[in-house]
Amino acid sequence: MSFSGRVREEICSSINDKDKKFACLYGMLLFCRDLTPERICFQTESTNSSENFGRLMKSIFKRELKCQEKMRKNGSIMYTYDINDVVFINNVFSAYHISTGTRTINTDIIATSSLGVFTAGVFLACGSVNDPSKEYHLEFACPEESIAGELMTLLRDIGVTAKIVLRRGQYIVYVKDSESIEDTLTFIGASQCTLEIMNVKIYKDMRNKVNRIANCDNANIDKVVNAAMKQIEDILLIDRTVGLDSLSAELREAAELRLENSGMSLQEIGDNLSVPISRSGVNHRFQKLKKIAEEIRSGGEK
């Protein structure tokens, strides 16, 4: 089952009293495909949304509705409730105070505690959310521009950052921020799916942290190796030209230890000298060796 499917399943399982059923069906009706005095058409590819719509219509209006199923070219099934009984539609419009003009959200007819359930109904009618392991994206494909704006305002009232874009004739209210998606899912009653997103975020953050540490370690290793190779190059030049015996005992010991141990860090070299010294002390000796090598390259020594 897709992540959107799990959200719908969790939502539907929580609609268990009269007020919630009334509010949820209102959201599903207000954002369905067609809503006119002559026709109500609710369409979905979700089995959960389809069954929930039929169940709520029967519970609230005592009307058993027939659902039509049609196989689409992509292999999915389109579930359709097509209502043309104008008397019944008038009863629905009257119960929800739906005008014959434009669709608008009338929060006065919804119990304050059921506003989230109304939004859950909107999600069941036209919402979807991507798998959080791939992308953070939640959207509502709204039938009209005005009601899309009202939905965006509703979401912003609960602190959710939402925007609108026109896509293939539909007004899409979308949310990209992961925290806003979590807030939306919690608001509509899908708290378990919210926890899934949080777990995915924790996993992604840990993976990114491990990668950063690994990249940092690799960079440090590269720096140590490159520095050691340059030190060895300087020491070999000195050995070929003036010989290591020309160096002071301290420099010669450091040079020989480096030639024998190319993978040692400066601290490790310092610890293995006959008289151990600090990392900065070892670095100081190699700087002297570097200066001698540079003088040889410039012709200062023969």
Side-chain angles (χ1 to χ4, degrees):
M1 182 183 293
S2 69
F3 187 70
S4 278
R6 293 200 295 278
V7 172
R8 293 188 185 94
E9 185 176 58
E10 186 176 358
I11 288 172
C12 292
S13 67
S14 68
I15 303 168
N16 48 22
D17 65 38
K18 186 177 180 180
D19 286 343
K20 288 182 178 181
K21 290 177 180 180
F22 185 84
C24 183
L25 182 58
Y26 183 38
M28 297 183 80
L29 285 167
L30 210 53
F31 285 78
C32 70
R33 176 179 169 180
D34 290 307
L35 186 65
T36 70
E38 295 77 32
R39 185 188 188 205
I40 294 176
C41 182
F42 180 85
Q43 283 189 327
T44 180
E45 292 184 4
S46 165
T47 304
N48 279 318
S49 292
S50 171
E51 292 177 349
N52 192 65
F53 183 80
R55 184 165 53 247
L56 293 181
M57 289 294 275
K58 182 178 180 180
S59 174
I60 296 170
F61 293 104
K62 313 305 178 185
R63 182 72 171 255
E64 189 84 45
L65 298 178
K66 183 179 180 180
C67 179
Q68 300 174 344
E69 299 181 12
K70 183 178 180 180
M71 181 72 73
R72 308 184 77 182
K73 292 181 179 179
N74 62 5
S76 63
I77 298 175
M78 178 63 75
Y79 301 95
T80 302
Y81 289 91
D82 207 343
I83 306 169
N84 299 289
D85 182 340
V86 294
V87 176
F88 176 64
I89 292 174
N90 183 62
N91 291 337
V92 173
F93 274 41
S94 177
Y96 285 112
H97 302 280
I98 299 173
S99 67
T100 57
T102 185
R103 309 187 200 203
T104 185
I105 300 173
N106 185 352
T107 56
D108 291 338
I109 67 170
I110 309 171
T112 303
S113 60
S114 298
L115 188 57
V117 185
F118 162 78
T119 312
V122 177
F123 184 88
L124 292 175
C126 64
S128 64
V129 58
N130 287 20
D131 184 336
S133 65
K134 298 177 181 177
E135 180 186 17
Y136 297 126
H137 183 88
L138 180 149
E139 69 178 39
F140 301 86
C142 304
E144 295 179 4
E145 182 178 11
S146 59
I147 203 168
E150 292 183 16
L151 177 60
M152 182 175 68
T153 299
L154 188 157
L155 292 173
R156 288 183 173 178
D157 286 345
I158 63 169
V160 170
T161 303
K163 296 181 180 179
I164 297 179
V165 65
L166 180 63
R167 184 201 303 154
R168 294 194 292 276
Q170 288 185 310
Y171 294 90
I172 309 299
V173 177
Y174 68 94
V175 181
K176 300 289 287 185
D177 177 68
S178 62
E179 290 187 4
S180 286
I181 293 174
E182 291 167 12
D183 291 342
T184 302
L185 294 184
T186 300
F187 183 60
I188 66 177
S191 56
Q192 289 301 313
C193 291
T194 299
L195 290 176
E196 281 191 49
I197 293 181
M198 291 179 174
N199 288 335
V200 168
K201 284 176 64 177
I202 292 171
Y203 173 77
K204 285 183 177 180
D205 288 344
M206 288 298 295
R207 184 180 62 189
N208 291 337
K209 185 176 181 180
V210 169
N211 287 338
R212 285 195 299 271
I213 292 173
N215 290 337
C216 182
D217 287 344
N218 289 336
N220 288 336
I221 291 171
D222 289 342
K223 286 173 65 176
V224 170
V225 170
N226 290 336
M229 295 309 295
K230 289 179 180 178
Q231 291 160 4
I232 290 173
E233 182 180 339
D234 289 341
I235 295 167
L236 290 176
L237 175 62
I238 295 170
D239 191 30
R240 287 197 311 269
T241 54
V242 299
L244 296 184
D245 290 341
S246 65
L247 302 174
S248 66
E250 292 179 348
L251 292 183
R252 184 171 65 253
E253 185 183 15
E256 290 174 345
L257 197 55
R258 168 55 82 201
L259 289 177
E260 294 168 0
N261 302 277
S262 60
M264 271 190 178
S265 66
L266 295 183
Q267 186 60 61
E268 288 172 329
I269 288 178
D271 293 340
N272 283 276
L273 292 172
S274 57
V275 178
I277 61 175
S278 66
R279 180 185 180 281
S280 60
V282 175
N283 184 58
H284 182 66
R285 293 188 184 183
F286 281 126
Q287 289 300 318
K288 287 185 176 181
L289 291 169
K290 179 180 178 181
K291 185 176 181 181
I292 294 171
E294 288 175 348
E295 289 176 350
I296 293 173
R297 292 188 183 98
S298 65
E301 291 284 341
K302 304 296 182 182

